[in-house]
Amino acid sequence: MTSLDQNGPYHSECNALKAKELCGCGVYPMKGKVKGPAPNSEEGCLDGQCDDLLDEVLYYFKANMLFQQYSVQGAGDRALLYLTLYVHYVVKLSKGKTQEDMKRVFIEERTKEFSHPGDKSFPLAGFLPAPKNAAEAEEWKAYMKQCREELFNRLIPMLYKHPNADGHPDKFWMMFCKKKFLGKTL
C-alpha cells in the first residue's frame, strides 16, 4: 500500500522492494516496450492500485504536486521525485499543443540530452546523490531515458483523454503547469 505522510505527500510502494540502485534511485521492473536497464514485465512489480513505479508517478502526480516538501523514505521515492518532475515538464510542454504536435515533440525529446545527479544543473541535487563513477552516471541516464520514454507514452493519452474543443490538453492537467514541484523544474 502506498503510504501517505501525515499531512504530507505520497511515497512509493517500491521502497519496500529490493532492487539495484543507481544514484540512489531503484531500478524496478516496468510494464512497457521501451528497452533499457530496467527489466520489462507484463504484470509490473507492485500488487496495489499501480502495477509499477511509472503508474505510481502518474497516479499520484496531482496529489504530490500540491506539496512543497518531501521526506525521502527510500530508493523508490528518489525515482518517483525525478519522474514526477519529468511529468510536470511534459505537461508544461503540452500547453497549447495538440496530440499530433506532442508526437513530434516526443521525437525531439528522445534525442535531447539531460542532466544527471552530480551535474551543476541537476534540479534535485539535495535528493539524489552524485554517481560513484562515470559508468553509474551513464547507466542512470539510460534508466531514466527508458522511464521518460515509457512515461511519455502513457501520459499523452491521459492528457488528451478529454481534450478542449480546439484539441488542446485536458484543463485539469494543465492547471499544474503553473505550479513548480518542490519549487523546481527541469
Side-chain angles (χ1 to χ4, degrees):
M1 181 72 140
T2 301
S3 64
L4 174 67
D5 273 348
Q6 187 166 352
N7 301 322
Y10 288 91
H11 294 277
S12 177
E13 286 182 49
C14 293
N15 288 332
L17 302 175
K18 289 262 186 220
K20 175 181 178 177
E21 286 189 28
L22 298 170
C23 300
C25 295
V27 179
Y28 305 105
M30 68 175 77
K31 297 183 312 183
K33 307 246 184 285
V34 179
K35 302 284 184 222
N40 287 328
S41 169
E42 284 302 313
E43 61 276 347
C45 62
L46 301 175
D47 297 329
Q49 294 170 306
C50 303
D51 288 333
D52 61 13
L53 176 68
L54 304 182
D55 281 348
E56 280 189 322
V57 170
L58 294 171
Y59 189 77
Y60 294 115
F61 171 76
K62 293 176 183 178
N64 280 344
M65 280 294 295
L66 301 176
F67 296 99
Q68 292 298 312
Q69 296 179 351
Y70 196 95
S71 62
V72 174
Q73 295 180 351
D77 282 349
R78 287 187 191 91
L80 183 110
L81 283 174
Y82 180 78
L83 295 170
T84 299
L85 199 60
Y86 178 69
V87 169
H88 179 253
Y89 171 73
V90 173
V91 170
K92 284 176 57 175
L93 273 179
S94 70
K95 186 174 184 177
K97 292 183 176 72
T98 65
Q99 192 166 0
E100 287 303 312
D101 294 337
M102 287 306 289
K103 288 177 183 175
R104 287 187 288 279
V105 167
F106 176 64
I107 293 167
E108 294 169 16
E109 284 297 310
R110 288 180 61 191
T111 59
K112 191 184 272 188
E113 282 293 315
F114 55 94
S115 62
H116 61 78
D119 284 348
K120 289 180 182 174
S121 62
F122 188 69
L124 296 172
F127 292 99
L128 279 71
K132 296 172 187 74
N133 52 46
E136 182 181 10
E138 288 306 310
E139 194 172 359
W140 183 88
K141 285 180 88 170
Y143 173 53
M144 285 303 155
K145 184 175 194 254
Q146 177 187 11
C147 291
R148 288 164 64 126
E149 286 183 28
E150 186 60 40
L151 259 176
F152 201 99
N153 290 338
R154 294 182 196 183
L155 176 60
I156 296 306
M158 294 172 81
L159 285 175
Y160 293 93
K161 188 173 185 176
H162 305 290
N164 294 338
D166 57 3
H168 294 145
D170 185 337
K171 66 182 179 182
F172 296 108
W173 278 90
M174 297 315 300
M175 64 190 228
F176 290 98
C177 286
K178 299 171 189 156
K179 294 189 68 60
K180 286 185 176 182
F181 178 59
L182 301 176
K184 311 208 179 281
T185 57
L186 280 183

